[in-house]
Amino acid sequence: MTTLTREEIVRGLAENRETPNGAVRNAHAEALAGAAEASGDRALFREALDNLINAYLYSAESPKILVPFARLLQEYDKDPGAFSEWEAHALFWQFKWVATAISDAPGIPLESATGWLDEMERRYRIAGYSERPVREAEMWFADAIGEDERAERAFRRWLAADRDDMSDCRACELNGQGQYAVLHGNDAEALELWRPVLYGDLTCAEEPHRLLATSLLPLLRLGRTDEARSHHLRGYRMARGNESLLPSVGKHIEFCALTGNEPRGLEILVEHSAHVAPLANLDDRLAFHGGILVLLRRLKELGHGQTPAVPYDGSPRTVAELYEVLYPGCLDIARQFDARNGTARVSDRFLARVGREPLVGELPLGVRSAKLPQTAAPARVRASVPASVASGPVSAPDGFAELVERARRARDLSHPATDALWAEVAVRVDALPEVDPLVRADLADQRALAAARSGAGEAPQLLTAVRDDYRALGRAERAALAELRLAGVAAQSEAAPVEVRALLRGALRAAETLDTSEPLRARRIALAELSAIRIESYLRSVETADGDDHHDHHGVLAAELTEFVSAHKGVLADLVAEAEEMLGRVTLAQGDPERAVPLLAASASRAVAAGRPWQAVDPLVLRAGVLLSLDRPEEAEAAARSALEHAAEVTDAEVQGVARLTLADILLRRGDAAAESAEHALASSHWFDRAGLTADSGAQARLLLARAYAGNGRNAEAAEVLQSALADLLEHGDQQAVSVREFLGDLLRRLNEPRPAAEQYLLAAEIAKGWEDPRPQAGLAQSAADTLSDAGLALESVAAYERALELHRLTGDAPVAEVRVLRSVAWLGLREEVTAETVSGARKRMAEAAEVLEAALATQPGVPELCSELAQTWHQLAQVLDRYVNANEQSDEAEVGALGDGGSQPATRLDGAAVDALRLEEIELWDRAARGYAELGPDHLRDRFQCLNNAAWTEQERGDAQAGAARVSALIDEVRALPEDDVPDWVLPSAERLLARLNEGE
């Protein structure tokens, strides 16, 4: 093995600290510790051991910290004085990690574990530290070995002990206190303890990551499902892919399994498939695999045992196979703990966890998840029939005769529960020894109607048979309806117009020839007339060449519908409502939304009055959209809320999704209802998933949900939802693809994830590259450049800024954007080093910016935004020069102006005259900027004051304190002469303090 030099080891340690946690980092840390020990440099060896301990801690191999910690402790015992104050503090701090590692390693005998705790207590006492961390470690150890009274005593002593430099951060302590409460059945108490961590008041390296996962089941048990959903979306985003947080990932998988989100749980498992292999930390393995087993058991129960899961030990595994591998392995680990601890506690808790039943039947999460494959027919669910269908006293709710009667009433009302009721009849009828022929005819009618709706080729034959059966049974009114449906099926299957018209005439004759005493005769005739109006409109469009007389078709249809409404207005309210809805849609097609609004309102009102509120949903949703387009948002919201109210009995999942999405959109536009908008968008996405529209309407619902979350400051949840639907949203055209990627970039930027944010902006810019208008691409390139700069990628940022600059110049009408790019590039050039060369480049960019603004002001004199940007440009150029002077003063003779890593070439040191010239130029630039700000009025007073402050101190640095004081005195006199109401409170006190300090310095 090649021996590393001290410099190589030092550099390696620095690199190792920046390496992602995991096995690779650990292996490198081990090698560096070995090399440091071989070097004989004890200080370097201590540093390498400390690095190795930290590497192990934040990985799945945390129990390995015991060996390097013992070595480091030996070093301390040999020569405590060799340890700096910081090194000694770190050593004692690591005792707490060792205590956790002992509990997590069943291979360490109980006596040794107890000995380590005693040693920790002894050393803390000698060093003068509080017993607080010792008692916490003792509490968890006592709990693990089943000594509950000891655990309770340790818990009380932990809380009573003083906090000092060895105490865990408040976030970690609250985590432990809450977990102890949960173990004793106090979920509400735990959540109250955790509140400061869960809501961001207290944070640390792994909080609130861990607590967001730990809080999931307590929240579900308390029925706080909205919070549980939020914690899952936020928390999984933080834990994803982090090896030291695999137990938290397991909790998120378990949460999905217990809330009807098994597909989501399986996706999370797949994302972490590389970590499913045996982990060195047995406690972590038990926690992570335990959560996976909850999911696998649920999937097996749902019939998905043969669904592919993830590979294990190099072999692909189904759900059932993976369960059979992980379960005995986890049970063996639990029993190892029990064997050491002398109790069955760990096994009992493991078995209780794996056997948990769902806590929520189905909790929509908002994120997109692929559906599980259909394995068998779903279990039959008894139809839930609203009271509006069942009227009168019910003596035998489960009686077959009553069920048939309910189904017929629902059918006559066109109630949404009709299909479910007849499905129940079909199930029960097979068990009857003898069935009424009319019931069999009704069931055949229902099957034929289903075939007609789906466009099945057998629909005409089924309907013909139904018609004949009804005629044979003397039910002419039902036969007439079958005749009408035959005409509709013929039109739907694109039969020849002559055939369709013949069927329509036959249906109308069948209705007209009904006995005059038949109660449904008028209804059957009106229904035939309305169907003929609808189908004739379609036939005219087929018979007319494309595009010819299109508006005439609308006019004819509108006239026919208007005549129908007039003829039947006093009766048959539901059919009139249907005609009015059609008329409203035709009116919209004619380009007259104002006329459509009352028609749609009348349709909805008439449907409700007819006792069919579900029929009002479609016209109300449409009316809400029309009102929104007419800029009448209050009325639109009222219509959408009414639609949702009337949708209570609707079983069509798409209709439910549309109603909620419409209201969510209106509320989000309102600007102050993002939270409620999110609720409806979430429900909408769930309904669209049920309807099989996940990739289409479901994706749009998720986009709106993400926007609502973002509008309510829930950026992590917004990003998680949006990323889950991204692939679907990108399929809906370039305009949406650009908008969505830009939105995602904005979210990631707010979450301080600049690299992925920049990637989204660049991808969006690439889509917009071919557009005629270059402005969208320019804005995206500039956003990408800003985030690349935030990520410390200076070269990439400059390239993106240059592209943005090129595009802004193509537009010829974006001087402010152009100037901001130029200034950003100027500052980027100074990031690595401040030398004569880099300052010259910055000067050039600032000068370009000034020229752009002066040219714009020549054509648009006095525009405030342009004047402000010009003042800001002089202000920033002065700051560039000031930085150059400061860098020169801080440099030494060997390396002038180098602020980076030593990569710059030595430059000639500025002499006194050059420095004074730069300071004079600074003063002149600040004065120029201040004059510009002064012309812009009181809104820019703070900027002006900053320039005056900088110029005054620069005067003092030149040895002319009086000139600086005179500037400030002049401003004070000016401000005192202004009306009191025009002067901000901060100005005079700030100016007077500045003057006093300048005079003191003099």
Coordinates of all heavy atoms in Angstrom, one line a residue, residues 409-450:
R409 N -87.2 2.6 -8.4 CA -87.4 4.1 -8.1 C -86.1 4.8 -8.5 O -86.2 5.9 -9.1 CB -87.6 4.3 -6.6 CG -89.1 4.0 -6.2 CD -89.5 4.7 -4.9 NE -88.7 4.3 -3.8 CZ -89.0 3.2 -3.0 NH1 -90.1 2.5 -3.3 NH2 -88.2 2.9 -2.0
A410 N -84.9 4.3 -8.2 CA -83.7 5.0 -8.6 C -83.6 5.1 -10.1 O -83.2 6.1 -10.6 CB -82.5 4.2 -8.0
R411 N -84.0 4.0 -10.8 CA -83.9 4.0 -12.3 C -84.9 5.1 -12.9 O -84.5 5.9 -13.8 CB -84.3 2.7 -12.8 CG -84.3 2.5 -14.3 CD -84.9 1.2 -14.7 NE -86.4 1.1 -14.3 CZ -87.1 0.0 -14.4 NH1 -86.5 -1.1 -14.8 NH2 -88.4 0.0 -14.0
D412 N -86.0 5.2 -12.3 CA -87.0 6.2 -12.8 C -86.5 7.6 -12.6 O -86.9 8.5 -13.3 CB -88.4 6.0 -12.1 CG -89.0 4.7 -12.6 OD1 -88.5 4.1 -13.6 OD2 -89.9 4.2 -11.9
L413 N -85.7 7.8 -11.5 CA -85.2 9.1 -11.2 C -83.9 9.4 -11.9 O -83.3 10.5 -11.8 CB -85.0 9.3 -9.7 CG -86.2 9.5 -8.8 CD1 -85.9 9.4 -7.3 CD2 -86.8 10.9 -9.1
S414 N -83.3 8.4 -12.6 CA -82.0 8.5 -13.1 C -81.0 8.8 -12.0 O -80.0 9.5 -12.2 CB -81.9 9.6 -14.2 OG -82.8 9.3 -15.3
H415 N -81.2 8.2 -10.9 CA -80.4 8.4 -9.7 C -79.0 7.8 -9.9 O -78.9 6.7 -10.5 CB -81.0 7.8 -8.4 CG -80.4 8.3 -7.2 ND1 -79.2 7.8 -6.7 CD2 -80.7 9.3 -6.3 CE1 -78.9 8.4 -5.6 NE2 -79.8 9.3 -5.3
P416 N -77.9 8.4 -9.4 CA -76.6 7.9 -9.6 C -76.4 6.5 -8.9 O -75.5 5.7 -9.3 CB -75.7 8.9 -8.9 CG -76.5 10.2 -8.9 CD -77.9 9.8 -8.8
A417 N -77.2 6.1 -8.0 CA -77.1 4.8 -7.3 C -77.7 3.7 -8.1 O -77.7 2.5 -7.6 CB -77.7 4.9 -5.9
T418 N -78.3 4.0 -9.2 CA -79.1 3.0 -10.0 C -78.2 1.7 -10.3 O -78.6 0.6 -10.1 CB -79.7 3.6 -11.3 OG1 -80.5 4.7 -10.9 CG2 -80.4 2.5 -12.0
D419 N -77.1 2.0 -10.9 CA -76.2 0.8 -11.3 C -75.9 -0.1 -10.1 O -75.9 -1.3 -10.2 CB -75.0 1.3 -12.0 CG -75.3 2.0 -13.3 OD1 -76.4 1.8 -13.8 OD2 -74.4 2.7 -13.8
A420 N -75.5 0.6 -9.0 CA -75.1 -0.2 -7.8 C -76.3 -1.1 -7.3 O -76.1 -2.2 -6.9 CB -74.6 0.7 -6.7
L421 N -77.5 -0.5 -7.3 CA -78.7 -1.2 -6.8 C -79.0 -2.4 -7.7 O -79.3 -3.5 -7.2 CB -79.9 -0.3 -6.7 CG -79.8 0.7 -5.6 CD1 -80.8 1.8 -5.8 CD2 -80.1 0.0 -4.3
W422 N -78.9 -2.2 -9.0 CA -79.2 -3.3 -9.9 C -78.1 -4.4 -9.9 O -78.4 -5.6 -10.1 CB -79.4 -2.8 -11.4 CG -80.8 -2.2 -11.6 CD1 -81.1 -0.9 -11.8 CD2 -82.0 -2.9 -11.5 NE1 -82.4 -0.7 -11.9 CE2 -83.0 -1.9 -11.7 CE3 -82.4 -4.2 -11.2 CZ2 -84.4 -2.2 -11.7 CZ3 -83.8 -4.5 -11.2 CH2 -84.8 -3.5 -11.5
A423 N -76.9 -3.9 -9.6 CA -75.8 -4.9 -9.4 C -76.1 -5.8 -8.2 O -75.8 -7.0 -8.2 CB -74.5 -4.2 -9.3
E424 N -76.6 -5.2 -7.1 CA -77.0 -6.0 -5.9 C -78.1 -6.9 -6.3 O -78.1 -8.1 -5.8 CB -77.4 -5.0 -4.8 CG -77.8 -5.7 -3.5 CD -76.6 -6.2 -2.8 OE1 -75.4 -5.9 -3.1 OE2 -76.8 -7.0 -1.9
V425 N -79.1 -6.5 -7.0 CA -80.2 -7.3 -7.5 C -79.7 -8.5 -8.2 O -80.1 -9.7 -8.0 CB -81.2 -6.6 -8.3 CG1 -82.3 -7.5 -8.9 CG2 -81.9 -5.5 -7.5
A426 N -78.7 -8.3 -9.2 CA -78.2 -9.3 -10.0 C -77.5 -10.4 -9.1 O -77.5 -11.6 -9.4 CB -77.2 -8.8 -11.0
V427 N -76.8 -9.9 -8.1 CA -76.1 -10.9 -7.2 C -77.1 -11.8 -6.4 O -76.9 -13.0 -6.3 CB -75.2 -10.1 -6.2 CG1 -74.7 -11.0 -5.1 CG2 -74.0 -9.5 -6.9
R428 N -78.2 -11.1 -5.9 CA -79.1 -11.9 -5.1 C -80.0 -12.8 -5.9 O -80.5 -13.8 -5.4 CB -80.0 -10.9 -4.3 CG -79.2 -10.1 -3.3 CD -80.1 -9.7 -2.2 NE -79.6 -8.6 -1.4 CZ -80.3 -8.0 -0.5 NH1 -81.5 -8.3 -0.2 NH2 -79.7 -7.0 0.2
V429 N -80.3 -12.4 -7.2 CA -81.3 -13.1 -7.9 C -80.8 -14.6 -8.2 O -81.7 -15.5 -8.3 CB -81.6 -12.4 -9.3 CG1 -80.5 -12.6 -10.3 CG2 -82.9 -12.8 -9.8
D430 N -79.5 -14.8 -8.3 CA -79.0 -16.1 -8.6 C -79.3 -17.1 -7.5 O -79.3 -18.3 -7.7 CB -77.5 -16.1 -8.9 CG -77.2 -15.4 -10.1 OD1 -78.1 -15.3 -11.0 OD2 -76.1 -14.8 -10.3
A431 N -79.5 -16.6 -6.3 CA -79.8 -17.5 -5.1 C -81.2 -17.8 -4.9 O -81.6 -18.6 -4.0 CB -79.2 -16.8 -3.9
L432 N -82.1 -17.2 -5.8 CA -83.5 -17.4 -5.6 C -84.0 -18.6 -6.4 O -83.6 -18.8 -7.6 CB -84.3 -16.1 -6.0 CG -84.0 -14.9 -5.2 CD1 -84.8 -13.7 -5.8 CD2 -84.4 -15.1 -3.8
P433 N -84.9 -19.4 -5.9 CA -85.4 -20.6 -6.6 C -86.3 -20.2 -7.8 O -86.3 -20.9 -8.8 CB -86.2 -21.3 -5.6 CG -86.6 -20.3 -4.6 CD -85.5 -19.3 -4.5
E434 N -87.0 -19.1 -7.7 CA -87.9 -18.6 -8.7 C -87.8 -17.1 -8.8 O -87.8 -16.4 -7.8 CB -89.3 -19.1 -8.4 CG -90.3 -18.9 -9.6 CD -91.6 -19.5 -9.3 OE1 -91.7 -20.4 -8.4 OE2 -92.6 -19.1 -9.9
V435 N -87.8 -16.6 -10.0 CA -87.6 -15.1 -10.2 C -88.8 -14.6 -11.1 O -89.1 -15.2 -12.1 CB -86.3 -14.8 -10.8 CG1 -86.1 -13.2 -10.9 CG2 -85.1 -15.3 -10.0
D436 N -89.3 -13.5 -10.7 CA -90.3 -12.8 -11.4 C -89.8 -12.4 -12.8 O -88.7 -11.8 -12.9 CB -90.7 -11.5 -10.7 CG -91.9 -10.7 -11.4 OD1 -92.2 -11.1 -12.5 OD2 -92.4 -9.8 -10.8
P437 N -90.4 -12.8 -13.9 CA -89.9 -12.5 -15.3 C -89.7 -11.0 -15.5 O -88.8 -10.6 -16.2 CB -91.1 -13.0 -16.2 CG -91.8 -14.0 -15.4 CD -91.7 -13.6 -14.0
L438 N -90.5 -10.1 -14.8 CA -90.3 -8.7 -15.0 C -88.9 -8.3 -14.4 O -88.2 -7.4 -14.9 CB -91.4 -7.9 -14.3 CG -91.3 -6.4 -14.4 CD1 -91.3 -6.0 -15.9 CD2 -92.5 -5.7 -13.8
V439 N -88.6 -8.9 -13.3 CA -87.3 -8.6 -12.7 C -86.2 -9.0 -13.6 O -85.2 -8.3 -13.8 CB -87.1 -9.3 -11.3 CG1 -85.7 -9.2 -10.8 CG2 -88.1 -8.8 -10.3
R440 N -86.3 -10.2 -14.3 CA -85.3 -10.6 -15.2 C -85.2 -9.7 -16.4 O -84.2 -9.3 -16.9 CB -85.6 -12.0 -15.7 CG -85.4 -13.1 -14.6 CD -85.1 -14.5 -15.3 NE -84.9 -15.5 -14.2 CZ -83.8 -15.7 -13.6 NH1 -82.7 -14.9 -13.9 NH2 -83.7 -16.7 -12.7
A441 N -86.4 -9.1 -16.8 CA -86.4 -8.2 -17.9 C -85.7 -6.9 -17.5 O -85.0 -6.3 -18.3 CB -87.9 -7.9 -18.3
D442 N -86.0 -6.5 -16.3 CA -85.3 -5.2 -15.8 C -83.8 -5.4 -15.7 O -83.1 -4.5 -16.1 CB -85.8 -4.9 -14.4 CG -87.3 -4.4 -14.4 OD1 -87.7 -3.9 -15.5 OD2 -87.9 -4.5 -13.3
L443 N -83.3 -6.6 -15.3 CA -81.9 -6.8 -15.3 C -81.3 -6.9 -16.7 O -80.2 -6.3 -16.9 CB -81.6 -8.2 -14.6 CG -81.8 -8.2 -13.0 CD1 -81.7 -9.6 -12.5 CD2 -80.7 -7.3 -12.4
A444 N -82.0 -7.4 -17.6 CA -81.6 -7.5 -19.0 C -81.5 -6.0 -19.5 O -80.6 -5.7 -20.3 CB -82.5 -8.3 -19.8
D445 N -82.5 -5.2 -19.2 CA -82.5 -3.8 -19.6 C -81.3 -3.1 -19.1 O -80.7 -2.3 -19.8 CB -83.8 -3.2 -19.0 CG -84.0 -1.7 -19.5 OD1 -83.4 -1.4 -20.6 OD2 -84.7 -1.0 -18.8
Q446 N -80.9 -3.4 -17.8 CA -79.8 -2.7 -17.2 C -78.5 -3.1 -17.9 O -77.6 -2.3 -18.2 CB -79.7 -3.1 -15.7 CG -78.7 -2.2 -14.9 CD -79.1 -0.8 -14.8 OE1 -80.3 -0.4 -15.0 NE2 -78.2 0.1 -14.5
R447 N -78.4 -4.4 -18.3 CA -77.2 -4.9 -19.0 C -77.1 -4.3 -20.4 O -76.1 -3.9 -20.9 CB -77.2 -6.4 -19.1 CG -76.9 -7.1 -17.8 CD -76.6 -8.6 -18.0 NE -77.9 -9.3 -18.4 CZ -78.7 -9.9 -17.6 NH1 -78.5 -9.8 -16.3 NH2 -79.8 -10.5 -18.0
A448 N -78.3 -4.2 -21.0 CA -78.3 -3.6 -22.4 C -77.9 -2.1 -22.3 O -77.2 -1.6 -23.2 CB -79.7 -3.7 -23.0
L449 N -78.4 -1.4 -21.3 CA -78.0 0.0 -21.2 C -76.5 0.2 -20.9 O -75.9 1.1 -21.5 CB -78.8 0.6 -20.0 CG -78.6 2.1 -19.7 CD1 -78.8 2.9 -20.9 CD2 -79.4 2.5 -18.5
A450 N -76.0 -0.7 -20.1 CA -74.5 -0.7 -19.9 C -73.7 -0.9 -21.2 O -72.7 -0.3 -21.5 CB -74.1 -1.7 -18.8

